[in-house]
Amino acid sequence: MNILVITILSQKIKKQSYDLNILILHGLCGFINFMAKREFLVTVRSFFELSLHSLKHNDEAAIASINECWVCFSQSVRSCGDIDTYELYLHEILSTIVALGDMDDIGSHRSNTDVHLAATKIALLLKPLAYLFPDINEESNIPKSREIISLFKDAWSNLAVHGFAYKSLLTQKYLTCLRRIAHSSPALASESSWNRTETSIEMNTILRRGTSKGTEKLHKDILSPIMNVNLLDGPVSRPKLFFLSATLLLENLRMSCGTCSTILEYFSDPSIAITGIQSFINDICLFNIKEYTNLIKSGGKHQFTVEEVSNQLRQIFIFICHRDIDLQRTALACCDYLISRVPSSLCHSESLFPLLDILSLLFESVIDADTHEYEPSTRFISSNCQVELFLSDSYKWRHDTLDQLSVAARKWVTLSLTKCNKDMKSLLQAYISKFKGTPSKGIDYGVSFALEMAGKVLPVDRELFALERSAYNRTDTIAGFLTQFSWKSNFKHEVYSKISGYTVTDGHAVVLKIRNTLKSLETRLENKEDVSAEEFNSALQDASAAVILGSIPAGDIL
């Protein structure tokens, strides 16, 4: 019965008045879970056909009403929980975007009017597509299907062909929708989605489509300052131009959502090297990281908090260990730029701990390659942060990568120690305290590195730093660091054990005991009874420890 109702309503969409069409489409949004594939596709195509009809008659009000209804339909599909329906809908919208502007004569120039009309038709689909994905403040939903990923690549390429570019008028007009789509879009090139039938970007039929001379000049004008090359002289072909412009558009939009590391994946796609555009991708990476750094400094958005930035740094640290030399070099440059301008980005366990873990894994891989010369392991996982690395089996590569990252890490950690000394040393102490077990050959490089950096004499250690060079070479602050480490390691146990009758595991009872002690002190002070300074300070220290070290809510103690 439901299918019959859906079929009848679908057939009446084009035969009735505009107002009734909107009512029918709104009604069909509630039948998504009952639609057969045929009826579902008829409904989706009806949205687009009615939008095109309104566009042809220049009816802006009708376009807006249909689009609003279409967005409601997208939200219903997203929330229905049916993966097959979701992917069918996503496939249909992306396929429609890809098909628009297609022509038989590949590569020939088209008029500005023709390109603008196709771009306007594509724009009709952007908002319904955007609302099929999570908001930029939510976790992204990047598809895993190779077919869908391929359609995404073609869709972004077709957007570039029809004038959507970084900060172009079209992009500014539909910025909110494009940003939401970019947030959940796969990378346009990566090792995992490499299309082996198209070994070069030059072979992609979407990128070879014709466009207007004005659109081509627009892309060249936008890319030239970023690439430091005058693209108007024609050093890159049209497919390369469109691909680079689409890459800049997508990854800059993604970066504005808080993710700056994805673009590094592009180097892992063999077609990038085959096409010879590594240097251009490098320029886009560095441009994005500069924009990302500026957004961090401006603040005000949760996507650019220390926690989120630390997660991005973790991913870039992993890319530094990639087998591709171009990817490795660019990832290192991006890290260096970000940390040198925002040293506090390393002052967080989500970034510092993975860096130390990666140093340990690289050291372990060198030992492994030396021990198992003919069958070295290529997969390494840290027990602390669960960092997973897939490394080259070359001993030289592993040794060079360890040396390279060690030099960079010393520079970064030293800078962060100079700017955030106490916080960084506290983190280094926390990392060392997490270490468990016996490391390979009795050495854990990450822990050794942490101890070395914690004991490093810095400009903030004025008396030591002022010593002569010969004396300074033999001087460090490790003794003081270890003294603090010992105190912090035993602090929690001492706080619990000093309260008679309780153990470390009796967390709730300890908090209750501290709370009662504070109330007792408050009453005695109000009654002007004598309270010794030792007793008062001891109670305050216990309260501070319960709040700082405990996992039990004790905020009311403050």
Side-chain angles (χ1 to χ4, degrees), residues 372-387:
H372 307 98
E373 184 177 355
Y374 298 105
E375 292 184 4
S377 301
T378 56
R379 180 172 176 264
F380 296 85
I381 303 176
S382 70
S383 58
N384 188 6
C385 299
Q386 299 302 306
V387 174

Side-chain angles (χ1 to χ4, degrees), residues 110-401:
R110 298 150 63 188
S111 68
N112 284 323
T113 303
D114 185 24
V115 172
H116 178 72
L117 179 60
T120 306
K121 291 178 180 178
I122 290 172
L124 295 172
L125 295 145
L126 294 180
K127 195 169 183 179
L129 177 60
Y131 278 84
L132 196 54
F133 302 118
D135 184 71
I136 61 171
N137 296 317
E138 301 170 4
E139 186 178 352
S140 62
N141 180 25
I142 298 175
K144 301 294 188 294
S145 164
R146 292 187 69 89
E147 185 179 3
I148 296 295
I149 290 173
S150 179
L151 281 171
F152 260 108
K153 292 179 179 181
D154 288 343
W156 281 103
S157 297
N158 204 33
L159 285 171
V161 170
H162 292 94
F164 288 86
Y166 170 69
K167 288 194 174 178
S168 69
L169 293 177
L170 273 173
T171 299
Q172 294 302 311
K173 184 176 180 180
Y174 301 101
L175 182 61
T176 303
C177 296
L178 288 170
R179 186 176 284 149
R180 186 163 178 159
I181 296 168
H183 181 51
S184 292
S185 289
L188 299 185
S190 72
E191 188 176 21
S192 60
S193 63
W194 177 41
N195 185 353
R196 287 166 176 77
T197 62
E198 291 181 2
T199 55
S200 172
I201 288 168
E202 303 274 7
M203 298 173 63
N204 185 286
T205 55
I206 308 299
L207 294 170
R208 290 168 61 86
R209 284 179 179 174
T211 189
S212 66
K213 291 182 179 180
T215 301
E216 196 168 330
K217 183 178 182 300
L218 168 71
H219 289 300
K220 290 181 177 180
D221 287 341
I222 289 169
L223 287 170
S224 291
I226 296 170
M227 309 297 184
N228 296 315
V229 175
N230 185 8
L231 297 179
L232 293 174
D233 295 337
V236 298
S237 64
R238 187 184 295 169
K240 288 181 184 178
L241 178 68
F242 288 147
F243 177 80
L244 291 170
S245 190
T247 298
L248 174 61
L249 173 61
L250 168 59
E251 297 308 329
N252 194 267
L253 288 168
R254 196 197 308 274
M255 177 277 300
S256 69
C257 300
T259 304
C260 68
S261 59
T262 304
I263 190 171
L264 290 165
E265 290 183 30
Y266 287 57
F267 287 101
S268 66
D269 190 321
S271 63
I272 298 296
I274 293 170
T275 312
I277 57 173
Q278 306 97 306
S279 63
F280 295 131
I281 297 296
N282 175 73
D283 292 335
I284 295 174
C285 284
L286 295 178
F287 176 77
N288 264 5
I289 204 70
K290 290 174 184 177
E291 296 253 302
Y292 183 71
T293 304
N294 291 335
L295 288 172
I296 294 171
K297 290 181 176 180
S298 63
K301 295 182 180 179
H302 86 89
Q303 298 100 321
F304 303 100
T305 57
V306 175
E307 290 80 4
E308 296 300 324
V309 175
S310 298
N311 288 327
Q312 290 303 302
L313 266 181
R314 172 192 171 114
Q315 190 58 48
I316 300 175
F317 289 148
I318 293 173
F319 280 131
I320 291 175
C321 303
H322 197 277
R323 298 179 296 276
D324 185 276
I325 301 301
D326 291 313
L327 170 51
Q328 198 176 58
R329 188 183 300 115
T330 303
L332 194 63
C334 288
C335 265
D336 194 62
Y337 186 91
L338 178 56
I339 295 173
S340 64
R341 282 154 182 81
V342 190
S344 59
S345 60
L346 195 59
C347 191
H348 196 280
S349 59
E350 291 299 320
S351 53
L352 180 62
F353 288 9
L355 174 60
L356 297 172
D357 272 9
I358 288 171
L359 287 170
S360 294
L361 293 180
L362 287 173
F363 181 83
E364 184 183 334
S365 75
V366 171
I367 295 175
D368 178 80
D370 190 48
T371 307
H372 307 98
E373 184 177 355
Y374 298 105
E375 292 184 4
S377 301
T378 56
R379 180 172 176 264
F380 296 85
I381 303 176
S382 70
S383 58
N384 188 6
C385 299
Q386 299 302 306
V387 174
E388 184 175 17
L389 299 180
F390 293 92
L391 305 178
S392 167
D393 57 5
S394 165
Y395 177 83
K396 183 180 184 305
W397 181 93
R398 294 183 180 191
H399 199 285
D400 289 346
T401 302

Side-chain angles (χ1 to χ4, degrees), residues 20 36-37 40 106 152 173 346 413 417 423 427 441 459 463 465-467 475 498 505 523:
L20 185 57
K37 180 178 179 180
F40 181 82
I106 293 178
F152 260 108
K173 184 176 180 180
L346 195 59
V413 175
L417 279 167
D423 292 333
L427 282 171
K441 304 297 182 182
E463 295 84 359
F465 196 75
L467 293 176
T475 306
K498 72 186 290 187
T505 56
T523 302

Side-chain angles (χ1 to χ4, degrees), residues 94-103 158 209:
L94 290 173
S95 298
T96 305
I97 291 175
V98 172
L100 288 167
D102 194 10
M103 56 188 299
N158 204 33
R209 284 179 179 174

